[in-house]
Amino acid sequence: MNLATLYVTVLLAASPNSWPAFLGQGADPVDPATIPQTWSPTENIAWTASLPGKGQSSPVIWRDRVYVTSIHGTMKDTCHVTGR
């Protein structure tokens, strides 16, 4: 199964409590007034996770798990998918 097929499968099977894509299920627009204007290690952070390498995408929430991707290597040639 390739990545595109997996993505479509995830979108079709998503439950209302899932966040399968960047703007959430259905890609609803975000009200700009709800976006924080300041960030710091302690301000406007909902959660953190240690990743191998650098973060590469928006988190995906599937049921009770959060998945994120990261990448590392001199040519950014090692990709990781981490779920918690």
Side-chain angles (χ1 to χ4, degrees):
M1 179 180 302
N2 66 33
L3 187 56
T5 303
L6 176 61
Y7 183 73
V8 169
T9 302
V10 167
L11 287 177
L12 293 175
S15 72
N17 295 329
S18 297
W19 187 276
F22 176 64
L23 291 175
Q25 190 165 339
D28 294 331
V30 175
D31 178 0
T34 66
I35 299 172
Q37 299 298 306
T38 59
W39 300 89
S40 77
T42 59
E43 183 181 18
N44 291 317
I45 302 295
W47 56 272
T48 63
S50 296
L51 300 176
K54 305 269 185 195
Q56 191 68 12
S57 65
S58 172
V60 170
I61 299 171
W62 191 255
R63 296 191 176 118
D64 62 344
R65 295 186 60 94
V66 176
Y67 297 92
V68 293
T69 62
S70 60
I71 193 166
H72 82 274
T74 56
M75 300 295 290
K76 298 181 179 179
D77 53 343
T78 304
C79 301
H80 302 274
V81 176
T82 305
R84 301 210 178 200

